[in-house]
Amino acid sequence: MSLFHSTTPTCPPAPPGHHMKLGQACLEVHNGDSSYAVQLWAQAKECYKCPPWLYLTLPPNATQTLMVNTTYPTDLLTTRTDGGDLFSMQYHFGEYGNYRLGLGARDWIGRSKIWVWDGSGDMEVTRQPERGAFPLVIAALFFVLLTFMWQCAKFLQRRMDSSTTSQTRTTTSTESERNPLISPHRDRLTTSPQPSTSISTSTLQDNLTTTSELTVQVGLGAGLPLPDPRVQSGRLLSLDAFRGLAIVLMIFVNYGGGQYFFFKHARWNGLTVADLVFPWFLWIMGVSLVFSIRSQLRRATKRFTIVLRILKRCAILFALGILVNSTNGHNHLFTFRLLGVLQRFSLCYFLTALIEVYTTNPQESPEYVWYWRFRDIVRSGPQWVYTLVLVTVQLALTFGMPVPGCPMGYLGPGGLHDGGMYKGCTGGAAGYIDRAMMGRAHVYAHPTCASVYDSTTPYDPEGLLGVLTSVLMVQLGASCGRIITTHHTHRGRTLRWLAWGVGTGLLAGLLCGWRKEAGLIPVNKNLWSLSYVLCTASFAFILFTIFYVFIDERKWWGGNPLRYAGMNSIALYVGHEICGGLVPFSWQPVGQHHANHLIMNLWATSLWVVIAYVLHRKKLYFSV
């Protein structure tokens, strides 16, 4: 149902704030006119091009209290029962606040038919709303303090280890002085001086090839330098940390995000924190995909064999997605949801990996060519051609496919949108294709637009048509991976990533007209619109660049504890979906306040990070 509907939810008598829930406030409306009844109409600002709902009708000199929504700004309109408009305003109510709206009498001026408002329509706050963001600030300070204490503990441990080592050396030196038969160099393999390396450490780090089979190139006859302890098993630590950030955010969001609206998916157009996570995973998958396929091709693995491995991995991902969809009692065969997050991963991985297998040349030509600085782009031309063909097909179907009862190229949520003229057109061509191919019963029945736009048409945000633009997201991640394997200096990599980030961000802004609504192609996660893919890819490039500089280049941070979660992301995703409704991950909150939900959701998310750390210590890693 819409946030505002004809059945008026009233505020029952109770102590202030005790009768309300999250996202609610109490509004007292008073009609001071002694002759005419007044109607109050309301609609959430988030409901784009929606008609107002008749919220209540007040007799003369009457007062009524009612619940109002606090998530979005509200358009309020009052009219007389004879149809005359009296007063309109937009107001954003605060959570658990009490408000009073007085509708006073109006004076008639001659034959000009102008009503003069007497000034009593201003909104009055009778009880201040709660500061909803305050628990977030406290939580942030807590984790900052926890990090500080952890770093202090590590510092003290290093000092103690250093003191113990120094004491051991002193004891050994004393024993050596007392007994000349004991050599102070007895632990060395040889007493001859070690050969010096011909490559400096900084130069070596700039030329690291951070792939799944990381190698260090040194000159003939040069001594091998000490291995960097931050590079373990050839993994790019910043990529693991970025993947860890994505899975931690996904768990927190899926568990409720403290019931803050910006940790929930956008109702239709627009972008929230929750809308960033899924595309980041696809982008990261593209980065890893380049390393994996290039490595197999360099080992002379047959392309047909690689394709069989790809099919196996896709089948496992799809099966895990079906398993996740069947939890919490959603296992009825006649209403079973066929698509989902892991299914989208499976399909996107199959298409992108297939393109990569048959278009990649694993042997890079060493000679200099005119496009040397841009060789990662030029030599991936075939991959980009196939990807752009898929995107073109998506755009052609979206804007050119006729949908019964809907205008050509409709991108709206249906329901109340556009005055309710296209109620059954949710998602336009994307929704129509899913409902036609899989049947309405097997399409997701609770899209995010339902609560605002009062839409009852099933729509799946992980539908088939969105796969085509999702492949572009994976390909953009693959371009990041090609930069890593092609350019061996930190500066060269970071500048190129930033260029990609700025370029995709500008293109996304041009497509959506730098507006939330009414652009050429609005940013929309439900549709996986082209502007949405480019916008989230821009964030991915920029954020990964920051991680890379801090972790792999400057080594200011080891990536922990996010790295632990990133190395076991598939286990954490499936585990948190299956165990989400169980203690100790969730329970019935003791109070309807953000603090209660935030504590529970942060605890559950932190618990999964601890589980990832335990798996890391036991060297247990689950992958598909």
Side-chain angles (χ1 to χ4, degrees), residues 99-121:
Y99 300 86
R100 184 180 187 276
L101 178 62
L103 306 175
R106 288 177 175 263
D107 297 324
W108 183 264
I109 300 181
R111 298 181 178 179
S112 59
K113 297 183 179 180
I114 298 177
W115 288 96
V116 180
W117 186 247
D118 66 359
S120 61

Side-chain angles (χ1 to χ4, degrees), residues 1 9 17 26 44 52 57 105 110 119 136 162 215 250-251 322 339 353 363 379 417 430 485 502 528 558 589 598 610:
M1 292 296 290
C26 189
T57 300
L136 275 177
S162 175
T215 58
M250 178 175 281
I251 293 173
I322 295 293
L339 299 177
Q363 304 301 329
R379 289 172 179 169
H417 183 253
T485 58
V502 172
W528 279 79
L598 188 63
V610 172

Side-chain angles (χ1 to χ4, degrees), residues 262-376:
F262 43 82
F263 287 128
K264 298 180 182 294
H265 293 294
R267 299 304 182 183
W268 194 247
N269 292 335
L271 195 69
T272 66
V273 176
D275 297 325
L276 297 171
V277 180
F278 189 8
W280 283 355
F281 270 112
L282 290 173
W283 187 89
I284 293 168
M285 185 172 70
V287 180
S288 304
L289 182 146
V290 170
F291 300 158
S292 173
I293 293 179
R294 185 180 293 262
S295 172
Q296 295 179 73
L297 290 175
R298 284 183 173 178
R299 292 197 299 267
T301 306
K302 292 183 179 180
R303 297 180 193 267
F304 179 72
T305 303
I306 300 176
V307 171
L308 290 180
R309 293 172 181 172
I310 292 170
L311 286 173
K312 178 183 176 182
R313 184 181 189 188
C314 292
I316 294 174
L317 279 172
F318 205 95
L320 286 174
I322 295 293
L323 174 66
V324 169
N325 283 0
S326 65
T327 58
N328 299 322
H330 299 148
N331 54 357
H332 197 285
L333 293 179
F334 297 105
T335 59
F336 189 79
R337 183 190 178 195
L338 296 176
L339 299 177
V341 173
L342 292 180
Q343 293 91 319
R344 172 68 63 87
F345 274 115
S346 173
L347 297 173
C348 290
Y349 183 78
F350 174 74
L351 291 174
T352 312
L354 205 63
I355 294 172
E356 193 72 16
V357 167
Y358 286 106
T359 58
T360 296
N361 180 12
Q363 304 301 329
E364 183 175 335
S365 179
E367 65 270 8
Y368 181 85
V369 290
W370 63 270
Y371 56 81
W372 183 257
R373 291 183 180 274
F374 309 101
R375 61 192 184 277
D376 56 298

Side-chain angles (χ1 to χ4, degrees), residues 600-611:
M600 179 176 65
N601 301 151
L602 286 176
W603 163 259
T605 306
S606 302
L607 196 56
W608 282 109
V609 174
V610 172
I611 292 173

Side-chain angles (χ1 to χ4, degrees), residues 338 431-440 442-443 464-465:
L338 296 176
Y432 176 72
I433 290 174
D434 291 337
R435 293 188 291 271
M437 295 188 67
M438 293 178 290
R440 293 174 62 97
H442 296 286
V443 178
L464 296 173
L465 195 56

Side-chain angles (χ1 to χ4, degrees), residues 74-143:
T74 304
D75 289 324
L76 297 171
L77 173 68
T78 58
T79 63
R80 281 178 30 162
T81 51
D82 59 4
D85 294 339
L86 298 179
F87 175 68
S88 64
M89 67 180 301
Q90 184 181 117
Y91 197 85
H92 195 169
F93 296 99
E95 205 162 52
Y96 293 125
N98 285 6
Y99 300 86
R100 184 180 187 276
L101 178 62
L103 306 175
R106 288 177 175 263
D107 297 324
W108 183 264
I109 300 181
R111 298 181 178 179
S112 59
K113 297 183 179 180
I114 298 177
W115 288 96
V116 180
W117 186 247
D118 66 359
S120 61
D122 293 334
M123 190 72 68
E124 179 186 358
V125 181
T126 57
R127 179 178 181 268
Q128 291 295 329
E130 291 187 357
R131 292 178 292 179
F134 186 70
L136 275 177
V137 177
I138 298 299
L141 292 176
F142 170 77
F143 280 102

